[in-house]
């Protein structure tokens, strides 16, 4: 089954403790992206990757890092999480970006930073 | 700055009626638009898309209309069903040169039986 898988689905942690949210897709998609979703603000793009070893900032990249060492994985790293990063996070992927095809989303990761 | 906005945060319709959800975008250079549906506890699901060289596109029970003159996008759902209750987002892709996808804030569709 074609899917985007995020782990963990839920995490409660404390300020300053590094964490990684993994994202994996099995569709051989070149494009991957991370979003955060907050009430009243909708979905905002954090980082995206057009291909392996190619990443770029979205609209809200501060406090986050990403890497794209292989096509199927696109982890989101919070080096020193803070309470304002408490949010619902989504990973998404799509085929070649310029081909105008829709993104497929994972089911989300709910992070609570205390 | 650029933004994608939905006109109404909540839309309530009777089962069997048609629904129309609207979206305004501000970047005239955007070349691709997408509608997503998000149910509680799930990620956004693709509904329908349209490229900027088109005015209208139809799917199963859904139609997307694009008016580039006034930078307006709408999603029409025919014979709305209880399973259509969800939050609907429009999204705008600025261009092929960047990977940015901008989402509107979402409209909640409530279907009354």
């Amino acid at each position: 089954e074609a899917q985007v898988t995020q782990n963990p689905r839920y995490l409660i942690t404390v300020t300053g403790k590094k964490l990684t949210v993994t994202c994996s897709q099995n569709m051989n998609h070149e494009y991957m992206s991370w979003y955060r979703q907050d009430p009243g603000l909708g979905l905002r793009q954090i980082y995206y990757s057009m291909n392996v070893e190619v990443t770029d900032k979205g609209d809200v990249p501060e406090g986050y890092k990403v890497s794209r060492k292989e096509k199927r994985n696109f982890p989101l790293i919070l080096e020193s999480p803070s309470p304002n990063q408490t949010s619902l996070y989504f990973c998404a992927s799509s085929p070649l970006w310029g081909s105008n095809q829709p993104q497929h989303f994972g089911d989300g990761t709910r992070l609570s930073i205390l | 700055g650029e933004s994608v906005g939905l006109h109404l945060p909540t839309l309530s319709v009777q089962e069997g009626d048609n629904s129309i959800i609207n979206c305004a975008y501000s970047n005239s250079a955007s070349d691709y638009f997408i509608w997503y549906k998000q149910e509680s506890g799930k990620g956004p699901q693709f509904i329908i898309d349209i490229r900027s060289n088109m005015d209208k596109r139809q799917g199963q029970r859904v139609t997307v209309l694009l008016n580039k003159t006034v930078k307006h996008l709408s999603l029409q759902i025919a014979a709305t069903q209880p399973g259509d209750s969800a939050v609907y987002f429009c999204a705008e892709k600025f261009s092929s040169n960047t990977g940015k996808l901008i989402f509107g804030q979402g409209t909640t569709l409530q279907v009354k039986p």
Side-chain angles (χ1 to χ4, degrees):
Chain A
E1 181 189 352
Q3 58 186 5
V4 177
T5 304
Q6 297 177 225
N7 279 296
R9 294 291 314 279
Y10 304 91
L11 179 64
I12 302 173
T13 187
V14 295
T15 299
K17 185 176 180 182
K18 180 179 178 180
L19 68 91
T20 298
V21 185
T22 64
C23 174
S24 179
Q25 50 94 4
N26 63 358
M27 296 167 279
N28 201 37
H29 284 168
E30 295 195 356
Y31 179 91
M32 297 185 75
S33 184
W34 276 103
Y35 299 87
R36 60 179 288 173
Q37 186 174 34
D38 302 289
L41 297 175
L43 282 152
R44 294 179 293 166
Q45 195 171 35
I46 303 171
Y47 269 95
Y48 61 90
S49 170
M50 298 263 219
N51 212 327
V52 175
E53 301 291 2
V54 180
T55 63
D56 209 342
K57 297 177 181 178
D59 289 321
V60 288
E62 295 78 19
Y64 304 95
K65 285 175 57 178
V66 293
S67 69
R68 187 91 183 276
K69 294 186 172 61
E70 49 191 342
K71 187 178 275 192
R72 64 183 293 123
N73 295 322
F74 190 45
L76 180 70
I77 303 156
L78 285 71
E79 293 270 4
S80 184
S82 62
N84 64 11
Q85 293 177 298
T86 292
S87 186
L88 179 59
Y89 291 85
F90 289 100
C91 180
S93 74
S94 67
L96 183 65
W97 180 244
S99 64
N100 286 342
Q101 296 183 57
Q103 293 183 41
H104 299 254
F105 283 78
D107 282 333
T109 295
R110 187 167 291 282
L111 287 184
S112 294
I113 316 293
L114 304 177
Chain B
E2 286 93 350
S3 66
V4 179
L6 292 166
H7 293 313
L8 288 175
T10 303
L11 177 66
S12 186
V13 300
Q14 205 70 38
E15 181 179 357
D17 287 351
N18 296 334
S19 303
I20 299 176
I21 300 172
N22 295 304
C23 179
Y25 66 94
S26 59
N27 184 13
S28 56
S30 294
D31 62 358
Y32 179 56
F33 304 88
I34 314 162
W35 280 101
Y36 286 94
K37 171 186 180 183
Q38 186 177 22
E39 296 173 293
S40 181
K42 295 185 178 180
Q45 299 171 273
F46 168 76
I47 303 172
I48 193 167
D49 56 2
I50 188 166
R51 302 183 183 189
S52 59
N53 60 355
M54 302 170 69
D55 298 322
K56 179 179 179 178
R57 189 157 190 234
Q58 288 183 293
Q60 188 176 13
R61 282 200 309 118
V62 294
T63 301
V64 55
L65 298 177
L66 177 62
N67 185 332
K68 293 182 285 294
T69 302
V70 295
K71 290 184 280 190
H72 183 268
L73 192 69
S74 69
L75 176 70
Q76 301 178 359
I77 304 173
T80 313
Q81 302 168 0
D84 295 327
S85 294
V87 179
Y88 290 81
F89 294 94
C90 61
E92 145 186 38
K93 173 174 161 283
F94 276 19
S95 72
S96 297
N97 295 328
T98 81
K100 288 193 174 185
L101 192 67
I102 305 296
F103 283 79
Q105 292 185 23
T107 290
T108 300
L109 177 64
Q110 298 174 338
V111 182
K112 296 178 287 187

